[in-house]
Amino acid sequence: LPLTPVAEVISDLADVVVTSQTDERVGLEAKAEEFWRGVLGAAEGMKLAEHLELYGRVEKVLAELPPENDHVRKTLAESLAKLRGADGRVLSQGMASSGVAAERL
């Protein structure tokens, strides 16, 4: 009979460990969802989908330019690279802003 209290203590400890692991997992999932919601919000706010579509069209034009338009190709490719970089920075700032806002809530 002295094993019964030990068994109960072990059972209670197991319940606490399993519950805390479950709580931790649920908390991590909530943080991940919050993070991705911020990323999506930033991407939508900056119209990233439209920009990606534009990038594809510009790349197609670049591929179709004749060799004599080399200067135009280089200038357009440089502009495209700058736009992509700017979009990356805007997305990063949007994600950082949503993270700061979420921390303050």
Side-chain angles (χ1 to χ4, degrees):
L1 280 150
L3 291 178
T4 303
V6 172
E8 288 176 14
V9 168
I10 291 173
S11 175
D12 290 345
L13 287 174
D15 288 344
V16 168
V17 169
V18 169
T19 301
S20 67
Q21 288 174 344
T22 301
D23 291 346
E24 183 178 337
R25 181 181 50 80
V26 168
L28 289 174
E29 288 174 357
K31 283 188 176 268
E33 183 178 331
E34 182 179 309
F35 169 79
W36 288 113
R37 194 175 317 125
V39 171
L40 180 60
E44 288 174 343
M46 62 180 273
K47 301 186 182 215
L48 185 59
E50 290 91 343
H51 291 194
L52 293 175
E53 183 181 326
L54 174 64
Y55 297 161
R57 291 194 320 249
V58 170
E59 288 171 342
K60 184 178 181 203
V61 168
L62 286 170
E64 294 172 353
L65 281 173
E68 61 268 13
N69 290 348
D70 188 54
H71 177 72
V72 172
R73 180 182 298 101
K74 287 179 183 176
T75 304
L76 190 55
E78 183 179 305
S79 297
L80 179 59
K82 288 179 180 180
L83 285 171
R84 284 184 169 157
D87 270 350
R89 289 186 296 279
V90 169
L91 184 58
S92 292
Q93 287 177 339
M95 290 170 29
S97 295
S98 70
V100 169
E103 288 175 8
R104 292 187 180 183
L105 291 178

